Amino acid sequence: MYTKVYMKGASPLAMTACCQMGASLFLLPLTALFPAQHVPTLPVIISVACLALVCTALAYLLYFRLIENIGPTNTLTVTFLVPIFSILWGALLLHESVTLSTFIGFSIILLGTFFVTGLRFPLKQGTANDQSTPEDNAKRVQLEEPSNIK
């Protein structure tokens, strides 16, 4: 039997803290296996702290807040856009080349994202074979919330 587990009522801050603590506890034993060869400098400590707090903790906080507000399926589509932004930042900051195949890949990713989120192109109103009312069309275009499967 398939069971969906929802995080309703759970705080995004609590979920983020648990994820960070779990990852820290998982990695802690590895510090004994691979000890540091020298004491890190202040810029290295600041860089690691920024990566931990901004790029990981803040990202998780936003991610869980999105799950809470727009649902897990629409939130997951954010990860589909990672390759697009990775190439964009690589081109802007590192002067990497962008080719035609890159833009074809972009369009495939965006098209898949549109299909997953349920976005539809508007239907033409008033065609000769169309016997549906505007209310029927509105119902057909509306996005459906996921059902509770238990």
Side-chain angles (χ1 to χ4, degrees):
M1 182 94 194
Y2 175 71
T3 304
K4 278 191 176 182
V5 178
Y6 288 103
M7 298 180 296
K8 289 187 179 185
S11 162
L13 182 59
M15 288 186 289
T16 301
C18 288
C19 285
Q20 296 300 296
M21 292 295 287
S24 299
L25 292 175
F26 179 77
L27 293 174
L28 187 62
L30 296 176
T31 59
L33 295 174
F34 303 102
Q37 301 299 321
H38 54 82
V39 178
T41 63
L42 184 61
V44 170
I45 293 172
I46 292 172
S47 297
V48 171
C50 284
L51 283 173
L53 295 174
V54 176
C55 298
T56 305
L58 181 63
Y60 265 120
L61 186 62
L62 292 173
Y63 187 72
F64 288 126
R65 189 153 309 225
L66 279 173
I67 289 174
E68 182 180 57
N69 291 330
I70 66 172
T73 303
N74 288 337
T75 299
L76 186 62
T77 60
V78 170
T79 60
F80 297 164
L81 303 176
V82 169
I84 293 174
F85 283 98
S86 299
I87 292 173
L88 174 72
W89 296 131
L92 289 176
L93 302 175
L94 303 174
H95 307 293
E96 294 178 354
S97 62
V98 179
T99 62
L100 177 62
S101 62
T102 304
F103 287 107
I104 293 171
F106 286 176
S107 62
I108 291 170
I109 290 170
L110 291 175
L111 186 64
T113 304
F114 284 132
F115 286 142
V116 169
T117 57
L119 296 176
R120 305 283 189 266
F121 296 107
L123 301 172
K124 288 186 177 181
Q125 297 276 335
T127 59
N129 294 332
D130 188 13
Q131 300 297 323
S132 60
T133 65
E135 291 82 19
D136 292 337
N137 288 337
K139 288 179 187 176
R140 192 175 7 179
V141 174
Q142 284 179 345
L143 299 176
E144 294 182 13
E145 290 294 321
S147 62
N148 291 337
I149 301 173
K150 296 189 181 194

